[in-house]
C-alpha cells in the first residue's frame, strides 16, 4: 500500500518508529511478502521476516515478530504497530515509549496508545509480558480453528491487553489512530513528509 504520492506505508511506519526512538525495526510480512519486501526501507536498523502462517490472523504475525526479537536477550521491550496506520507519527511513538517523558521502556512495560479513549497502536510490550501474551495468542489461533468459530475469531492482542491492564497513553491530540483499509483513503497529516 502506498500514499497517493507513492510513498509506501511500510516506509512511513519504519520512519515513525525510528524517528520516535526505536533502536531497530522488524517488519513482519505476510500476504504478498515477496512484493512487500521490496518496499521495506533498506536501512541498517531494519530487517524483515515472513509470517508463514499469516493467513491465520494477526496473532500469527505478532507471534512471528515476538519470536524474532526474543532471539536477542538484550531486547527488553518491543513497540508494535500496524502498516495500515499511515498517520502514525513519531511523536505518538515517542509518547508511548517514554509515557510522556515519565519513564523509559523496560521489561515490565505495558502501554497502549489510546485515541480519545479508544484503544489502538502503538503498543509497548516489555519482555516480562511476552510469554503470557504468546500463550494468549496461541489460544486465540486454536480457537479460530474451531469449526464453530466466527470468521474473524482471532482478535490479536486486544483482549489480552485489556485483561493485563495495559496502561493507556492518550495520543488523540497527535493523530486519530485511524486504520486505513484502502490506499486512496490515506492522506498525509499536515507537516508529515
Amino acid at each position: 500500500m502506498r500514499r497517493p504520492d507513492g510513498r509506501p506505508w511500510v516506509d512511513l511506519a519504519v520512519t515513525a518508529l525510528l524517528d520516535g526512538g526505536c533502536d531497530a525495526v522488524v517488519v513482519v510480512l505476510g500476504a504478498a511478502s515477496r512484493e512487500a519486501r521490496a518496499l521495506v526501507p533498506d536501512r541498517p536498523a531494519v530487517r524483515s521476516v515472513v509470517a508463514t502462517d499469516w493467513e491465520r490472523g494477526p496473532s500469527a504475525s505478532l507471534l512471528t515478530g515476538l519470536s524474532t526479537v526474543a532471539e536477542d536477550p538484550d531486547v527488553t521491550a518491543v513497540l508494535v504497530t500496524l502498516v495500515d496506520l499511515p498517520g502514525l507519527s513519531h511523536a505518538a511513538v515517542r509518547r508511548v515509549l517514554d509515557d510522556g517523558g515519565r519513564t523509559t521502556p523496560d521489561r515490565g512495560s505495558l502501554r497502549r496508545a489510546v485515541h480519545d479513549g479508544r484503544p489502538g497502536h502503538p503498543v509497548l510490550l516489555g519482555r516480562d509480558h511476552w510469554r503470557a501474551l504468546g500463550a494468549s495468542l496461541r489460544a486465540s489461533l486454536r480457537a479460530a480453528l474451531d469449526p464453530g468459530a466466527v470468521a474473524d475469531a482471532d482478535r490479536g492482542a486486544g483482549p489480552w491487553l485489556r485483561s493485563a491492564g495495559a496502561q493507556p497513553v492518550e495520543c488523540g491530540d497527535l493523530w486519530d489512530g485511524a486504520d486505513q483499509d484502502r490506499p486512496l483513503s490515506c492522506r498525509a497529516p499536515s507537516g508529515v513528509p
Side-chain angles (χ1 to χ4, degrees), residues 39-57:
L39 301 176
V40 175
D42 184 16
R43 300 182 193 175
V46 179
R47 66 181 171 139
S48 61
V49 297
V50 176
T52 56
D53 56 349
W54 62 268
E55 72 281 349
R56 293 183 66 197

Side-chain angles (χ1 to χ4, degrees), residues 14-171:
V14 165
T15 299
L17 291 169
L18 292 173
D19 289 354
C22 293
D23 296 328
V25 174
V26 174
V27 177
V28 179
L29 304 171
S33 61
R34 209 169 313 155
E35 295 85 354
R37 187 167 297 204
L39 301 176
V40 175
D42 184 16
R43 300 182 193 175
V46 179
R47 66 181 171 139
S48 61
V49 297
V50 176
T52 56
D53 56 349
W54 62 268
E55 72 281 349
R56 293 183 66 197
S59 293
S61 296
L62 183 52
L63 282 167
T64 297
L66 287 174
S67 172
T68 300
V69 297
E71 295 170 5
D72 183 345
D74 294 329
V75 176
T76 58
V78 296
L79 190 82
V80 178
T81 192
L82 306 173
V83 74
D84 61 354
L85 301 172
L88 175 65
S89 70
H90 71 279
V93 168
R94 169 63 58 201
R95 187 176 289 173
V96 173
L97 280 176
D98 69 11
D99 190 24
R102 290 186 283 277
T103 186
T104 57
D106 60 31
R107 296 179 65 94
S109 296
L110 187 58
R111 296 192 282 272
R112 178 179 206 171
V114 295
H115 309 278
D116 296 323
R118 183 179 43 82
H121 289 83
V123 175
L124 180 66
L125 303 165
R127 191 178 197 103
D128 290 351
H129 299 285
W130 297 355
R131 184 177 307 236
L133 172 58
S136 175
L137 295 172
R138 285 187 288 282
S140 178
L141 288 171
R142 282 191 301 276
L145 291 175
D146 183 325
V150 294
D152 64 346
D154 179 18
R155 307 305 279 162
W160 183 85
L161 289 166
R162 281 187 293 282
S163 69
Q167 174 191 346
V169 178
E170 184 58 60
C171 293

Side-chain angles (χ1 to χ4, degrees), residues 2-18:
R2 298 176 184 265
R3 273 194 336 205
D5 66 3
R7 188 167 177 200
W9 287 2
V10 68
D11 184 48
L12 295 169
V14 165
T15 299
L17 291 169
L18 292 173

